[in-house]
Amino acid sequence: YGFFIDGTLYNTTADAIPVLRNPFSTGTVVAHPTNVALSSVTDPYFRGFDNSLPDYWRYTEWARDFDANERRARPIVGGPEFPPGLASLTLVRFMHDHTGNFDVAIDGVNTPDLMVADNDYAVGLLVQKIAHSKYAINTLIFVVEDDAQDGGDHVDSHRSTAYVVGAYVKQGAVISTQYNTIDFIRTIEEVLGLPPMNLNDALGRPMTDIFNTEPSPWSFTATPSALLYNT
């Protein structure tokens, strides 16, 4: 969802792909992968990197596809529900924490504060959706900020916000272990049972301190920032 998409097709020219809130409803393809090998695993209705479109609409497209996959899921005897339901790994790109395109952004989401609030709300809605689904008990959500080293719209060039959500994450605990982005990736690999891709992640440390070995009940309700009330 939104990764490795040809962003040149969003340029403000006469033949650019229009900014649409619900491209699925008209069958309008708004996401063309940069690699043909990704075509079969790319949602063509989930717009890539383009600050003209609020992330809220990216969330609604992801949610539409999530619901469709959930309906198609069938139980496997002795195991969790997997394809033709949800994939084992899903990558979702909500990119509005990056900000930009203020003069052409739609729905009044056209300032840095509003765009970051929109991004926060979309992420929250995704977490809420999974929390209230049948996949809540066996899904982990990893969230990392976009492009932490670049510019004033991020926390700091040497540190980044990151979140892990799910039933196996410790609640009410203070963990002082220092982790980095490579550790984040290594942890995802370990959860999926995948080998490291190269020496960098092979040397990463799985973030074991943040997890329990048994699941706990969890829930989440997304609340929009008051900044968004007039958008």
Side-chain angles (χ1 to χ4, degrees), residues 75-97:
I76 298 176
V77 176
E81 294 188 1
F82 284 131
L86 295 184
S88 297
L89 173 67
T90 298
L91 303 178
V92 183
R93 191 180 195 186
F94 293 146
M95 36 63 57
H96 231 176
D97 68 318

Side-chain angles (χ1 to χ4, degrees), residues 16-27:
I17 298 176
V19 179
L20 302 173
R21 298 173 182 84
N22 184 11
F24 176 80
S25 65
T26 57

Side-chain angles (χ1 to χ4, degrees), residues 6 34 76 82-83 85 93 128 133 152 162 179 186-187 208 221:
D6 186 355
T34 53
I76 298 176
F82 284 131
R93 191 180 195 186
Q128 174 181 282
S133 76
Y179 292 118
R186 176 65 187 276
T187 304
T208 54
T221 300

Side-chain angles (χ1 to χ4, degrees), residues 16 24 42 44 47 71 142 175 216 228:
F24 176 80
T42 297
R47 197 174 186 89
R71 288 192 297 270
F142 292 79
I175 307 299
S216 300
L228 296 174

Side-chain angles (χ1 to χ4, degrees), residues 102-117:
F102 307 121
D103 56 336
V104 294
I106 68 169
D107 295 342
V109 185
N110 55 8
T111 69
D113 288 352
L114 290 170
M115 289 180 174
V116 172

Side-chain angles (χ1 to χ4, degrees), residues 135-153:
Y135 296 104
I137 196 68
N138 61 356
T139 297
L140 283 172
I141 306 166
F142 292 79
V143 185
V144 68
E145 114 177 286
D146 162 77
D147 209 9
Q149 78 281 0
D150 180 41
D153 57 345

